[in-house]
Amino acid sequence: MTNATADRAAELRDKLADELISAGHITAAQVEAAFRVVPRHAFVPDGTPMEATYNADESVAIKKDERGVLISSTSAPFLQARMIEQAGIQPGMNVLEYGSGGYNAALLAEIVGPGGRVVSVDIDQDVTDRASAALKATGYGNRVRVILADAEHGVPDLGLFDAIIVTVGAWDIPPAWLDQLAGDGVLVVPLRMNGVTRSIAFHREADHLVSDSAEVCGFVAMQGEGEHIDQIFRLPDAHGHHIDLQFDNGAPENPGLLNDVLATGRTDVWSGITIANGVSFADLHLWFVSFLPGFCRVAAEQGTDLAGERGTWFPFGVVRGDSFAYLAIRPAAEGAGFEFGARAYGSHGQEAATAMVEQIQAWDHSARSGPAPTIAFWPTGTAPQIPDRAAVLAKAHGLVTISWPAMS
Ligand SMILES: C[S@@+](CC[C@H](N)C(=O)[O-])C[C@H]1O[C@@H](n2cnc3c(N)ncnc32)[C@H](O)[C@@H]1O
């Protein structure tokens, strides 16, 4: 690398750290210091533009599978910063990262310092080889141990960790992670709950885990034994295109009823609930996950009517028999942003749209301005205490509860 390139990288690193601080993604001095020194460009593929590499919101693709699906990436810096902060990483800590790439592990090594330990595990040898080489080239070779293994089974020979950071989308929390989490340790995991993922920082409370924070995020999916395959129903339209309805659990028993749904008329139901431009309504997604039976994700192929209406709807849907509805917005009265509603197809479209609108109204009335929900994980074999106003999601290794505090 030329001196000019190294200078440019150092400049962009400082700019990135400044941006992450001013956006509130970095609050801790040790995290700031790490972002100012670790050369992110040394961990992304050659030829990746420097500006993209150091863009706070951009992830960088590392590997796709034979179908073209992304299976490894260097996560966006804002998310790496958030997750490290969620884990409260401090000098001297013992940290286990699931999902390698090298950059995040190098940040962790900077923070834990010589008195700490960083282990990074990936299921894909291309990834572990690449990460090991980049860590070596940047001087972190002896400060991070990279291991080829399936996260599902942990790394039992390596004892307990103060923090486990999972950097791959998980559907469940396998026993191995809890077995290797120190009593007062923190587990940060992007957990998929009925199709909606949050990076959750969990601490232990007796026999279960309770969330301290949850951040909106997106991740490549877990492979190996912990892989979870969603059920996808493909709905053809009249022009040879399709819409996919994707169910994480709770898929309808008779999806064949939906086959001709796109040939039916459309129904719109509006809620009277508005939101200002640019304001997050991520808690509404979790509210749907919690309280809207038949909830699914919606994906529209290019060429469908829905794809043509991009910007007026969101990929959250609900199925009722032979009909489905999805979350929509329309401009509200002058200056009031947007009104939420639901658009539906099918002979029971009105019913599906009304079910969604009722939950928009319930969220607005009883959760929107209240505290965030608490998420808990009860491993199999424990006796879950399910609070009022809680959703229960069954996982293979336990139960997830999402509980919504009463508003004062
Ligand atoms: C988003 S990338 C990790 C990014 C990385 N932390 C970094 O600093 O760039 C997710 C990684 O998880 C890995 N992965 C997927 N399933 C896994 C499993 N069961 N066990 C371990 N790693 C897994 C993928 O191979 C992929 O490299």
Side-chain angles (χ1 to χ4, degrees):
M1 195 194 327
T2 64
N3 285 345
T5 314
D7 289 350
R8 178 76 186 126
E11 210 177 280
L12 288 171
R13 232 170 14 248
D14 277 335
K15 183 164 164 273
L16 171 63
D18 292 342
E19 281 169 13
L20 293 173
I21 292 165
S22 69
H25 298 311
I26 291 181
T27 61
Q30 67 275 19
V31 182
E32 173 187 349
F35 272 85
R36 289 199 192 279
V37 297
V38 180
R40 183 172 163 93
H41 58 281
F43 295 90
V44 298
D46 288 344
T48 309
M50 212 54 121
E51 279 67 21
T53 303
Y54 285 101
N55 183 317
D57 301 320
E58 268 192 51
S59 60
V60 179
I62 300 292
K63 184 174 173 182
K64 295 185 175 169
D65 69 9
E66 57 291 343
R67 290 168 300 142
V69 175
L70 188 64
I71 55 171
S72 188
S73 61
T74 304
S75 303
F78 92 87
L79 187 52
Q80 293 177 309
R82 281 317 310 141
M83 291 177 79
I84 293 172
E85 293 242 345
Q86 282 186 286
I89 304 298
Q90 301 289 336
M93 273 189 170
N94 237 323
V95 185
L96 173 57
E97 176 193 51
Y98 284 123
S100 308
Y103 177 61
N104 195 53
L107 292 170
L108 294 169
E110 274 298 331
I111 299 170
V112 302
R117 169 172 78 143
V118 177
V119 175
S120 180
V121 173
D122 203 286
I123 198 169
D124 185 330
Q125 185 156 9
D126 289 345
V127 175
T128 51
D129 286 352
R130 216 185 148 273
S132 299
L135 286 163
K136 188 163 175 226
T138 48
Y140 293 97
N142 295 326
R143 298 167 68 181
V144 176
R145 182 161 169 199
V146 179
I147 295 179
L148 177 65
D150 184 341
E152 179 75 10
H153 306 297
V155 276
D157 296 342
L158 298 186
L160 296 182
F161 291 87
D162 304 309
I164 300 178
I165 303 184
V166 183
T167 67
V168 51
W171 183 81
D172 204 348
I173 299 183
W177 300 357
L178 297 182
D179 291 348
Q180 291 200 264
L181 189 64
D184 57 355
V186 54
L187 168 67
V188 177
V189 51
L191 187 65
R192 189 144 52 95
M193 296 163 290
N194 210 353
V196 169
T197 303
R198 294 287 178 269
S199 167
I200 305 173
F202 283 114
H203 68 273
R204 260 186 224 279
E205 268 181 27
D207 58 359
H208 64 287
L209 298 173
V210 178
S211 66
D212 296 310
S213 62
E215 304 273 349
V216 174
C217 66
F219 268 94
V220 299
M222 185 77 73
Q223 304 166 49
E225 221 168 285
E227 179 180 14
H228 177 80
I229 300 184
D230 283 351
Q231 275 182 279
I232 297 179
F233 299 131
R234 185 149 283 189
L235 311 177
D237 72 4
H239 313 289
H241 299 294
H242 62 260
I243 286 169
D244 283 339
L245 302 185
Q246 185 165 347
F247 292 84
D248 166 327
N249 54 20
E253 276 172 16
N254 192 355
L257 291 175
L258 285 157
N259 282 347
D260 299 321
V261 67
L262 294 178
T264 64
R266 204 179 83 184
T267 312
D268 290 3
V269 177
W270 297 99
S271 67
I273 308 299
T274 59
I275 187 148
N277 273 331
V279 172
S280 165
F281 52 97
D283 273 2
L284 175 60
H285 316 165
L286 271 186
W287 183 270
F288 286 152
V289 163
S290 303
F291 300 122
L292 185 58
F295 177 81
C296 60
R297 300 291 300 226
V298 180
E301 192 195 23
Q302 227 22 282
T304 53
D305 289 348
L306 261 79
E309 295 165 3
R310 230 173 265 294
T312 69
W313 62 278
F314 295 89
F316 306 105
V318 61
V319 168
R320 286 288 178 276
D322 61 1
S323 305
F324 81 100
Y326 53 98
L327 181 65
I329 50 168
R330 67 178 178 183
E334 194 69 17
F338 293 95
E339 179 184 3
F340 290 116
R343 290 195 193 120
Y345 287 92
S347 60
H348 296 87
Q350 179 83 21
E351 199 186 303
T354 301
M356 181 166 252
V357 161
E358 282 173 357
Q359 288 308 330
I360 296 167
Q361 291 162 337
W363 164 74
D364 178 69
H365 175 252
S366 61
R368 182 178 189 170
S369 40
T374 301
I375 300 163
F377 179 76
W378 299 83
T380 304
T382 57
Q385 286 144 30
I386 300 172
D388 289 344
R389 290 226 310 173
V392 180
L393 308 180
K395 301 284 174 179
H397 298 302
L399 287 183
V400 169
T401 57
I402 308 174
S403 60
W404 295 80
M407 286 202 326
S408 45

